[in-house]
Amino acid sequence: MKTKNQTGSSIDKLIPERSYGRSLPMLLMYSREVVMRRIRPHLRNHGLTDQQWRVLRALAEEEQLELLVLGQRCLIRPPSLSRIVSALIERGLVRRVVHPDDRRRVLISLTDKGRILFEEVSHGSALIYEQLSRDIGEETLEEIYRVLINLIEVLEEGESASAPDEDI
C-alpha cells in the first residue's frame, strides 16, 4: 500500500503491505489446520468430529456445563452446538438435563461411556502431542503457547476497555 503523509513524503516503510500469507487471521487458521491434520485422523478413528471432541474435552474438565457456557468455551454457535450435543446424546456420550433452578436452562454432562471415550482419545492425543513437541521442539511449543495466551489476553483486555459502558 503506497501512502503519502500530509507533507507528501512516502511512508511505505512505516506501513508495509502484508501479503495474504502474512495475514494474522490466515496464519492462525492455517496453523490450526496443520495441527489438526495430525489430530483429525485419530478423532475419526473414534468416530468424532473436531467440534464433538471440543465438547467432550470441555465437559471432561467440569461435572456439567450450561449449554450456553459450553458453546462459549468450545467456540461453537448455538444452532451447531444443539446438533452436536444431540448427536453425542444419541451415541450415549453426553446427557442433557434441565437446570433444577431454571427450566429454561439446560445442563450438559458426560456419561460414563463418554468419559471412557474421552480417556481413550486423550491417551492417543497425548502421543500426537509428544510427536509434535519432538518435531518442533519443546521450547518452541512452549513459546507458541505463551505467545498465543498473551495475544488472547491482550486483545480481550482491549475489547473490554473499549466496550461502551452499558450503565450510562
Side-chain angles (χ1 to χ4, degrees), residues 113-160:
K113 182 179 177 182
R115 192 155 303 280
I116 290 167
L117 179 61
F118 170 77
E119 295 298 329
E120 288 174 16
V121 176
S122 291
H123 176 71
S125 292
L127 298 175
I128 294 167
Y129 272 89
E130 286 174 14
Q131 184 62 50
L132 180 66
S133 182
R134 282 191 299 273
D135 290 347
I136 66 172
E138 193 171 325
E139 284 182 29
T140 300
L141 185 57
E142 287 305 315
E143 179 69 5
I144 291 168
Y145 283 126
R146 188 192 64 70
V147 168
L148 290 174
I149 290 167
N150 184 57
L151 173 70
I152 292 164
E153 289 172 352
V154 167
L155 295 181
E156 282 184 342
E157 283 175 21
E159 286 175 3
S160 62

Side-chain angles (χ1 to χ4, degrees), residues 35-93:
V35 169
M36 288 308 297
R37 280 187 214 148
R38 291 183 175 213
I39 297 170
R40 202 170 280 128
H42 175 63
L43 297 178
R44 298 296 178 268
N45 287 340
H46 292 278
L48 294 170
T49 66
D50 303 5
Q51 296 84 2
Q52 288 171 337
W53 176 237
R54 289 200 315 255
V55 168
L56 294 180
R57 285 202 68 196
L59 292 172
E61 294 181 5
E62 303 283 340
E63 188 170 323
Q64 58 188 7
L65 287 170
E66 278 192 50
L67 192 60
L68 182 61
V69 173
L70 180 61
Q72 291 167 342
R73 285 218 183 134
C74 297
L75 301 173
I76 300 172
R77 296 192 183 278
S80 296
L81 183 62
S82 291
R83 287 189 300 275
I84 291 163
V85 167
S86 293
L88 293 172
I89 288 171
E90 201 171 291
R91 289 181 59 187
L93 300 174

